[in-house]
């Protein structure tokens, strides 16, 4: 056995704690999904630390949420830039200053340039209010109701140059009731967004969810097109919803 086995210096050694994984969140408005992430972080359930919140809208309430949580709140108004590319160039600089492991879009109402997407490809995620690939784009709840679908929901996906077209990581389903309104459906979908987004962020930070040239993987296994899916019943149970409706 080595003579170093009884060395007091080694016996007194305490390993340094691993530095927390770093997250930057981009918002444009109220920031309810941001709040879900902040709450998860407060319960040590995010797998990392939100180091900055950036908004293109100076009056976004999400900035207040960030400040109240002691998070760096950055305003970068897009109207002060002459082009989308110029804005995204400035946004890249702001984000990189915070050295993030993951960039999270939480209601960031900007179409991103290919330059931006490529810079953060594989560590840039978004949440969309539909079961992708259905209802890409806007007005998802109204379109779903107009089509008379039985199921709707939300999807977390990696961001690629195709709008709402990147590999899906996680979905949560909501059953559409016969008397459903656009507002009631929106509220149900929002609740599911707040449920699954912190989970997806945690798994990305832990390296369980990864981007690959073929799509996305979970623990090294390729995911199907719909990613991992939480059923209506499972989501309703987590959210303590009335299943009798």
């Amino acid at each position: 056995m080595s003579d170093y086995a009884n060395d007091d210096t080694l016996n007194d050694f305490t390993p340094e704690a691993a530095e927390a994984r770093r997250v930057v969140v981009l918002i444009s408005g109220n920031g309810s999904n941001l709040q879900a992430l902040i709450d998860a972080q407060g319960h040590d359930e995010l797998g990392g630390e939100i180091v900055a919140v950036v908004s293109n809208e100076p009056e976004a309430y999400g900035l207040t949420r960030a400040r109240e949580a002691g998070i760096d709140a950055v305003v970068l108004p897009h109207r002060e830039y002459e082009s989308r590319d110029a804005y995204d160039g400035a946004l890249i600089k702001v984000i990189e200053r915070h050295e993030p492991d993951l960039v999270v879009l939480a209601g960031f109402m900007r179409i991103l340039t290919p330059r931006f997407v490529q810079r953060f490809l594989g560590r840039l995620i978004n949440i969309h209010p539909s079961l992708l690939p259905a209802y890409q784009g806007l007005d998802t709840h109204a379109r779903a109701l107009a089509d008379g679908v039985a199921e709707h929901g939300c999807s977390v996906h990696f961001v690629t140059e195709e709008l709402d077209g990147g590999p899906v990581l996680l979905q949560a389903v909501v059953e559409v009731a016969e008397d459903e309104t656009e507002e009631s459906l929106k509220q149900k979908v929002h609740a599911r967004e707040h449920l699954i987004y912190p989970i997806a962020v945690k798994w990305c930070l832990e390296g369980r969810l990864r981007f690959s040239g073929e799509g996305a993987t979970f623990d090294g296994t390729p995911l199907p097109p719909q990613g991992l899916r939480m059923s209506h019943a499972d989501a309703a149970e987590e959210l303590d919803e009335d299943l009798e409706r």
Side-chain angles (χ1 to χ4, degrees):
M1 182 178 289
S2 168
D3 291 338
Y4 291 108
N6 295 318
D7 191 314
D8 289 339
T9 303
L10 289 182
N11 291 338
D12 293 339
F13 175 72
T14 302
E16 290 186 11
E19 186 175 344
R21 308 288 281 175
R22 299 169 65 84
V23 179
V24 170
V25 183
L26 307 186
I27 64 167
S28 293
N30 180 53
S32 64
N33 271 308
L34 166 64
Q35 189 64 56
L37 300 178
I38 291 172
D39 292 345
Q41 177 178 304
H43 291 93
D44 294 324
E45 295 174 351
L46 193 65
E49 178 186 1
I50 303 170
V51 295
V53 172
V54 185
S55 176
N56 64 308
E57 294 288 355
E59 301 304 318
Y61 182 67
L63 292 167
T64 299
R65 297 181 188 271
R67 295 185 186 106
E68 290 179 348
I71 299 168
D72 189 12
V74 183
V75 178
L76 191 69
H78 63 274
R79 296 175 184 86
E80 295 182 5
Y81 293 81
E82 61 183 15
S83 68
R84 192 176 298 275
D85 190 65
Y87 179 79
D88 279 8
L91 184 58
I92 288 171
K93 291 180 180 178
V94 169
I95 292 171
E96 289 186 332
R97 192 179 304 146
H98 292 88
E99 301 179 335
D101 297 288
L102 188 68
V103 180
V104 177
L105 306 182
F108 188 61
M109 304 305 290
R110 297 276 299 168
I111 296 175
L112 299 167
T113 60
R115 170 191 182 189
F116 184 95
V117 171
Q118 288 301 319
R119 181 65 188 85
F120 298 107
L121 188 65
R123 53 193 179 110
L124 177 63
I125 63 173
N126 180 49
I127 192 160
H128 182 75
S130 77
L131 297 175
L132 292 171
Y135 307 115
Q136 297 169 321
L138 302 175
D139 302 320
T140 60
H141 310 312
R143 290 157 63 194
L145 288 174
D147 288 345
V149 299
E151 290 186 337
H152 191 45
C154 55
S155 308
V156 180
H157 65 97
F158 279 121
V159 176
T160 62
E161 293 183 28
E162 180 186 354
L163 181 65
D164 300 328
V168 175
L169 305 176
L170 188 59
Q171 292 184 330
V173 176
V174 58
E175 293 176 357
V176 181
E178 290 185 6
D179 60 347
E180 204 78 74
T181 65
E182 187 175 343
E183 184 59 30
S184 67
L185 186 57
K186 176 182 177 182
Q187 293 305 317
K188 291 178 183 178
V189 171
H190 270 175
R192 282 155 178 76
E193 291 178 10
H194 302 162
L195 177 64
I196 68 170
Y197 215 7
I199 296 171
V201 168
K202 184 174 189 289
W203 285 348
C204 284
L205 293 174
E206 291 175 343
R208 302 190 70 186
L209 287 169
R210 293 182 181 271
F211 182 86
S212 73
E214 304 301 319
T217 62
F218 181 69
D219 290 344
T221 301
L223 287 174
Q226 73 272 21
L228 302 166
R229 178 172 283 195
M230 181 178 288
S231 70
H232 171 81
D234 286 344
E237 183 178 359
E238 288 289 332
L239 296 166
D240 197 26
E241 289 181 349
D242 183 4
L243 282 170
E244 298 302 318
R245 279 204 68 198

